Amino acid sequence: MSKFILAATLLSAVMACPDHDLSSRSLMKRADGPADWAYDAAYNWGMINENYTTCQTGTQQSPIHLTTSTGYSKTHTPTFNYSTSTSGSLYNWGYGPAFSLTSNVTDLSGNPSMTFDNETVFLKGWHIHAPADHTIDSARSKAELHFVHATASGAERAVVAFMIDPVPFGTVANSTFFDSFPLTSIPSFSDATTRIPLDLDLKQALTEINNAKDFWTYEGSLTSPPCTEGLRWFVAGKKMLVGTEQMQEIFAVSTYSAREEQGIWGHNINV
């Protein structure tokens, strides 16, 4: 009887543990995606839906761990053709701040662009993960900003990743980019429908990471289902530093959205 009571007690404790929370909050969906996956169950994505098999079997899955000891890339150097004013909508993608461009969804060729390896891709928008997806030298930044680029027809092709961390505590300094729009106006992660029209200087964001002059690059994937591979990742070596209040404001409208690092396999880092 005592063994039965002990087993029942342990089972109750496990079911009450936040890591095993299967509430609707835990299963909150990505704003533009399906509702059958969650970041706190990323290890299981490939078994949830047959369309997510690549999450389990892929050879170039993202994110990965990067190290400064390997040095930065000398190849695949990106160049950017961004303007100082880009129209779009600020919203919450279900996990944190996001921005989508106002453009023809079937032809993105008029959007800000990036060129690498004689290939030009076009910006679709940006979104923030908190904490960061990638780790560098075994350290994880507090957030990560993704500038997602696609072919002219809209197929995701490349991502520029910015690590975001606050300035040293007590220092008074803000990110000019995040100062250019009211972070406090971003809807909560529980509101994935509100859109706020806005013009942003996306060039300023690039300036704050020195236009990604130092970067790691590799062949990777989307970091959420269906985990499609075939994307070129550029991870900036220079962090985007934000003020303490700016960091708090980002956290206030974010919820956990980091996929665990994937084993390095066919990623061809800096190759």
Side-chain angles (χ1 to χ4, degrees):
M1 177 64 73
S2 61
K3 290 183 179 180
F4 174 80
I5 293 173
L6 176 60
T9 301
L10 291 173
L11 177 60
S12 176
V14 168
M15 294 302 288
C17 175
D19 288 343
H20 297 269
D21 177 19
L22 298 180
S23 66
S24 59
R25 173 72 64 193
S26 176
L27 295 176
M28 182 178 294
K29 73 182 186 72
R30 180 172 176 165
D32 60 351
D36 58 354
W37 60 269
Y39 279 102
D40 53 9
Y43 63 90
N44 207 33
W45 285 346
M47 301 178 185
I48 292 173
N49 186 316
E50 63 181 8
N51 294 321
Y52 306 160
T53 301
T54 303
C55 300
Q56 200 88 2
T57 64
T59 61
Q60 297 175 334
Q61 288 293 287
S62 298
I64 59 174
H65 178 62
L66 298 166
T67 62
T68 53
S69 63
T70 62
Y72 296 120
S73 178
K74 303 298 182 185
T75 59
H76 311 290
T77 303
T79 57
F80 299 92
N81 182 18
Y82 280 28
S83 69
T84 56
S85 181
T86 300
S87 298
S89 297
L90 193 65
Y91 67 104
N92 196 304
W93 67 289
Y95 290 97
F99 180 80
S100 62
L101 274 65
T102 302
S103 59
N104 184 336
V105 294
T106 59
D107 181 7
L108 304 183
S109 60
N111 288 10
S113 64
M114 172 178 71
T115 299
F116 62 94
D117 300 339
N118 295 316
E119 178 181 0
T120 298
V121 291
F122 306 93
L123 185 68
K124 292 184 72 173
W126 58 257
H127 61 272
I128 292 177
H129 291 258
D133 267 331
H134 293 82
T135 54
I136 298 173
D137 292 339
S138 300
R140 190 183 301 278
S141 289
K142 293 192 181 300
E144 184 171 330
L145 173 63
H146 290 170
F147 274 29
V148 181
H149 297 75
T151 63
S153 60
E156 283 89 354
R157 179 67 182 93
V159 182
V160 180
F162 308 52
M163 298 301 118
I164 299 176
D165 273 315
V167 295
F169 191 75
T171 302
V172 180
N174 278 351
S175 157
T176 301
F177 173 68
F178 283 114
D179 256 351
S180 68
F181 60 94
L183 280 165
T184 53
S185 70
I186 298 172
S188 164
F189 53 80
S190 60
D191 176 4
T193 58
T194 300
R195 297 289 191 274
I196 302 170
L198 195 66
D199 290 342
L200 287 182
D201 180 0
L202 300 178
K203 203 170 185 178
Q204 174 60 36
L206 291 174
T207 298
E208 294 183 23
I209 59 165
N210 195 27
N211 291 298
K213 296 297 184 185
D214 293 324
F215 65 94
W216 294 273
T217 187
Y218 70 92
E219 297 172 57
S221 73
L222 297 176
T223 61
S224 60
C227 307
T228 306
E229 296 185 337
L231 276 72
R232 167 66 61 183
W233 277 85
F234 299 90
V235 180
K238 181 177 174 59
K239 292 182 179 181
M240 174 179 270
L241 296 178
V242 301
T244 299
E245 288 188 6
Q246 289 179 324
M247 193 79 254
Q248 291 175 309
E249 289 166 353
I250 290 171
F251 282 159
V253 293
S254 299
T255 189
Y256 186 85
S257 60
R259 185 187 188 190
E260 63 181 341
E261 296 88 350
Q262 304 298 294
I264 294 174
W265 194 352
H267 296 85
N268 296 316
I269 301 170
N270 293 347
V271 175

PDB file of all heavy atoms in Angstrom, residues 203-216:
ATOM      1  N   LYS A 203      17.052  49.941 -42.029  1.00  0.00           N
ATOM      2  CA  LYS A 203      18.482  50.146 -42.257  1.00  0.00           C
ATOM      3  C   LYS A 203      19.193  50.440 -40.934  1.00  0.00           C
ATOM      4  O   LYS A 203      20.348  50.066 -40.735  1.00  0.00           O
ATOM      5  CB  LYS A 203      18.670  51.301 -43.240  1.00  0.00           C
ATOM      6  CG  LYS A 203      19.973  51.300 -43.990  1.00  0.00           C
ATOM      7  CD  LYS A 203      19.938  52.338 -45.113  1.00  0.00           C
ATOM      8  CE  LYS A 203      21.195  52.266 -45.954  1.00  0.00           C
ATOM      9  NZ  LYS A 203      21.141  53.237 -47.073  1.00  0.00           N
ATOM     10  N   GLN A 204      18.479  51.115 -40.020  1.00  0.00           N
ATOM     11  CA  GLN A 204      19.055  51.437 -38.719  1.00  0.00           C
ATOM     12  C   GLN A 204      19.358  50.168 -37.926  1.00  0.00           C
ATOM     13  O   GLN A 204      20.373  50.084 -37.227  1.00  0.00           O
ATOM     14  CB  GLN A 204      18.096  52.331 -37.924  1.00  0.00           C
ATOM     15  CG  GLN A 204      18.524  52.623 -36.490  1.00  0.00           C
ATOM     16  CD  GLN A 204      19.861  53.337 -36.405  1.00  0.00           C
ATOM     17  OE1 GLN A 204      20.171  54.180 -37.248  1.00  0.00           O
ATOM     18  NE2 GLN A 204      20.656  53.013 -35.394  1.00  0.00           N
ATOM     19  N   ALA A 205      18.482  49.180 -38.038  1.00  0.00           N
ATOM     20  CA  ALA A 205      18.727  47.915 -37.339  1.00  0.00           C
ATOM     21  C   ALA A 205      20.030  47.286 -37.825  1.00  0.00           C
ATOM     22  O   ALA A 205      20.834  46.792 -37.025  1.00  0.00           O
ATOM     23  CB  ALA A 205      17.561  46.960 -37.559  1.00  0.00           C
ATOM     24  N   LEU A 206      20.253  47.310 -39.134  1.00  0.00           N
ATOM     25  CA  LEU A 206      21.490  46.760 -39.679  1.00  0.00           C
ATOM     26  C   LEU A 206      22.703  47.559 -39.208  1.00  0.00           C
ATOM     27  O   LEU A 206      23.763  46.991 -38.924  1.00  0.00           O
ATOM     28  CB  LEU A 206      21.436  46.752 -41.207  1.00  0.00           C
ATOM     29  CG  LEU A 206      20.460  45.766 -41.851  1.00  0.00           C
ATOM     30  CD1 LEU A 206      20.416  45.983 -43.355  1.00  0.00           C
ATOM     31  CD2 LEU A 206      20.851  44.327 -41.538  1.00  0.00           C
ATOM     32  N   THR A 207      22.540  48.872 -39.110  1.00  0.00           N
ATOM     33  CA  THR A 207      23.640  49.722 -38.649  1.00  0.00           C
ATOM     34  C   THR A 207      24.096  49.307 -37.258  1.00  0.00           C
ATOM     35  O   THR A 207      25.295  49.319 -36.945  1.00  0.00           O
ATOM     36  CB  THR A 207      23.205  51.200 -38.633  1.00  0.00           C
ATOM     37  OG1 THR A 207      22.879  51.598 -39.967  1.00  0.00           O
ATOM     38  CG2 THR A 207      24.305  52.101 -38.093  1.00  0.00           C
ATOM     39  N   GLU A 208      23.150  48.893 -36.424  1.00  0.00           N
ATOM     40  CA  GLU A 208      23.476  48.558 -35.038  1.00  0.00           C
ATOM     41  C   GLU A 208      24.210  47.228 -34.903  1.00  0.00           C
ATOM     42  O   GLU A 208      24.736  46.914 -33.837  1.00  0.00           O
ATOM     43  CB  GLU A 208      22.201  48.592 -34.187  1.00  0.00           C
ATOM     44  CG  GLU A 208      21.634  50.003 -34.096  1.00  0.00           C
ATOM     45  CD  GLU A 208      20.406  50.130 -33.207  1.00  0.00           C
ATOM     46  OE1 GLU A 208      20.218  49.278 -32.310  1.00  0.00           O
ATOM     47  OE2 GLU A 208      19.635  51.092 -33.413  1.00  0.00           O
ATOM     48  N   ILE A 209      24.258  46.447 -35.977  1.00  0.00           N
ATOM     49  CA  ILE A 209      25.082  45.230 -35.965  1.00  0.00           C
ATOM     50  C   ILE A 209      26.204  45.345 -37.001  1.00  0.00           C
ATOM     51  O   ILE A 209      26.726  44.341 -37.480  1.00  0.00           O
ATOM     52  CB  ILE A 209      24.242  43.958 -36.212  1.00  0.00           C
ATOM     53  CG1 ILE A 209      23.512  44.040 -37.562  1.00  0.00           C
ATOM     54  CG2 ILE A 209      23.272  43.713 -35.067  1.00  0.00           C
ATOM     55  CD1 ILE A 209      22.969  42.701 -38.038  1.00  0.00           C
ATOM     56  N   ASN A 210      26.545  46.608 -37.322  1.00  0.00           N
ATOM     57  CA  ASN A 210      27.634  46.882 -38.262  1.00  0.00           C
ATOM     58  C   ASN A 210      27.398  46.199 -39.606  1.00  0.00           C
ATOM     59  O   ASN A 210      28.326  45.694 -40.240  1.00  0.00           O
ATOM     60  CB  ASN A 210      28.981  46.452 -37.665  1.00  0.00           C
ATOM     61  CG  ASN A 210      30.169  47.038 -38.412  1.00  0.00           C
ATOM     62  OD1 ASN A 210      30.065  48.104 -39.016  1.00  0.00           O
ATOM     63  ND2 ASN A 210      31.294  46.338 -38.381  1.00  0.00           N
ATOM     64  N   ASN A 211      26.127  46.196 -40.027  1.00  0.00           N
ATOM     65  CA  ASN A 211      25.736  45.603 -41.317  1.00  0.00           C
ATOM     66  C   ASN A 211      26.200  44.156 -41.471  1.00  0.00           C
ATOM     67  O   ASN A 211      26.459  43.686 -42.580  1.00  0.00           O
ATOM     68  CB  ASN A 211      26.251  46.456 -42.477  1.00  0.00           C
ATOM     69  CG  ASN A 211      25.533  47.785 -42.572  1.00  0.00           C
ATOM     70  OD1 ASN A 211      24.333  47.842 -42.789  1.00  0.00           O
ATOM     71  ND2 ASN A 211      26.274  48.866 -42.360  1.00  0.00           N
ATOM     72  N   ALA A 212      26.294  43.467 -40.327  1.00  0.00           N
ATOM     73  CA  ALA A 212      26.683  42.046 -40.321  1.00  0.00           C
ATOM     74  C   ALA A 212      28.003  41.815 -41.049  1.00  0.00           C
ATOM     75  O   ALA A 212      28.174  40.824 -41.764  1.00  0.00           O
ATOM     76  CB  ALA A 212      25.571  41.184 -40.918  1.00  0.00           C
ATOM     77  N   LYS A 213      28.945  42.732 -40.846  1.00  0.00           N
ATOM     78  CA  LYS A 213      30.262  42.568 -41.475  1.00  0.00           C
ATOM     79  C   LYS A 213      30.973  41.324 -40.944  1.00  0.00           C
ATOM     80  O   LYS A 213      31.717  40.655 -41.662  1.00  0.00           O
ATOM     81  CB  LYS A 213      31.125  43.809 -41.227  1.00  0.00           C
ATOM     82  CG  LYS A 213      30.587  45.093 -41.855  1.00  0.00           C
ATOM     83  CD  LYS A 213      30.529  45.008 -43.370  1.00  0.00           C
ATOM     84  CE  LYS A 213      30.091  46.334 -43.981  1.00  0.00           C
ATOM     85  NZ  LYS A 213      29.903  46.237 -45.453  1.00  0.00           N
ATOM     86  N   ASP A 214      30.769  41.042 -39.653  1.00  0.00           N
ATOM     87  CA  ASP A 214      31.269  39.799 -39.064  1.00  0.00           C
ATOM     88  C   ASP A 214      30.071  38.881 -38.859  1.00  0.00           C
ATOM     89  O   ASP A 214      29.073  39.278 -38.234  1.00  0.00           O
ATOM     90  CB  ASP A 214      31.955  40.062 -37.720  1.00  0.00           C
ATOM     91  CG  ASP A 214      33.236  40.873 -37.879  1.00  0.00           C
ATOM     92  OD1 ASP A 214      33.947  40.663 -38.878  1.00  0.00           O
ATOM     93  OD2 ASP A 214      33.508  41.720 -37.006  1.00  0.00           O
ATOM     94  N   PHE A 215      30.162  37.668 -39.366  1.00  0.00           N
ATOM     95  CA  PHE A 215      29.002  36.780 -39.285  1.00  0.00           C
ATOM     96  C   PHE A 215      29.425  35.322 -39.415  1.00  0.00           C
ATOM     97  O   PHE A 215      30.484  34.998 -39.955  1.00  0.00           O
ATOM     98  CB  PHE A 215      27.993  37.116 -40.392  1.00  0.00           C
ATOM     99  CG  PHE A 215      28.519  36.864 -41.790  1.00  0.00           C
ATOM    100  CD1 PHE A 215      28.276  35.661 -42.447  1.00  0.00           C
ATOM    101  CD2 PHE A 215      29.283  37.823 -42.449  1.00  0.00           C
ATOM    102  CE1 PHE A 215      28.777  35.418 -43.721  1.00  0.00           C
ATOM    103  CE2 PHE A 215      29.789  37.597 -43.730  1.00  0.00           C
ATOM    104  CZ  PHE A 215      29.535  36.387 -44.367  1.00  0.00           C
ATOM    105  N   TRP A 216      28.592  34.472 -38.863  1.00  0.00           N
ATOM    106  CA  TRP A 216      28.663  33.040 -39.149  1.00  0.00           C
ATOM    107  C   TRP A 216      27.586  32.742 -40.189  1.00  0.00           C
ATOM    108  O   TRP A 216      26.535  33.397 -40.214  1.00  0.00           O
ATOM    109  CB  TRP A 216      28.355  32.208 -37.912  1.00  0.00           C
ATOM    110  CG  TRP A 216      29.333  32.295 -36.792  1.00  0.00           C
ATOM    111  CD1 TRP A 216      30.466  31.547 -36.621  1.00  0.00           C
ATOM    112  CD2 TRP A 216      29.262  33.165 -35.647  1.00  0.00           C
ATOM    113  NE1 TRP A 216      31.098  31.894 -35.452  1.00  0.00           N
ATOM    114  CE2 TRP A 216      30.383  32.886 -34.833  1.00  0.00           C
ATOM    115  CE3 TRP A 216      28.365  34.146 -35.240  1.00  0.00           C
ATOM    116  CZ2 TRP A 216      30.621  33.555 -33.633  1.00  0.00           C
ATOM    117  CZ3 TRP A 216      28.594  34.820 -34.051  1.00  0.00           C
ATOM    118  CH2 TRP A 216      29.716  34.520 -33.265  1.00  0.00           C
TER     119      TRP A 216
END
